[in-house]
Amino acid sequence: MEQPFTESEQAYLADRVAHYVGEVVERVTQVICEAEAAANADFSAQGFTFAEHSPANADYLTVCLMEELFRKVHSGDMAMAELMLTMMAKQEGISLHVD
């Protein structure tokens, strides 16, 4: 049975969760930057040079992480996956058509 919370308790909980989400995002962003730098140092040590951007750039690493976390959360439940994608699209103002 779920505990009923007052409006002020709900506001507090929402604020604290947002705070901790922000901390996680900050830490993960730092780890991604560190991974990009390590990959580029590795590539450079092997004599690789890239005309445009490194294959292990921060954007690519971020998308790879998002894919892995998405799979982890929906765990093969396609209805959950569809719901998650729909919710993310709506937050960005994108309309999705899912068959």
Side-chain angles (χ1 to χ4, degrees), residues 1-45:
M1 187 164 155
E2 193 166 314
Q3 175 181 345
F5 296 107
T6 66
E7 284 187 35
S8 65
E9 290 171 331
Q10 289 175 10
Y12 173 82
L13 292 168
D15 177 67
R16 297 314 300 159
V17 169
H19 168 79
Y20 291 114
V21 167
E23 282 187 357
V24 169
V25 169
E26 188 176 309
R27 290 167 53 192
V28 168
T29 300
Q30 181 62 37
V31 169
I32 288 170
C33 290
E34 291 168 2
E36 179 184 33
N40 288 334
D42 180 20
F43 299 154
S44 180

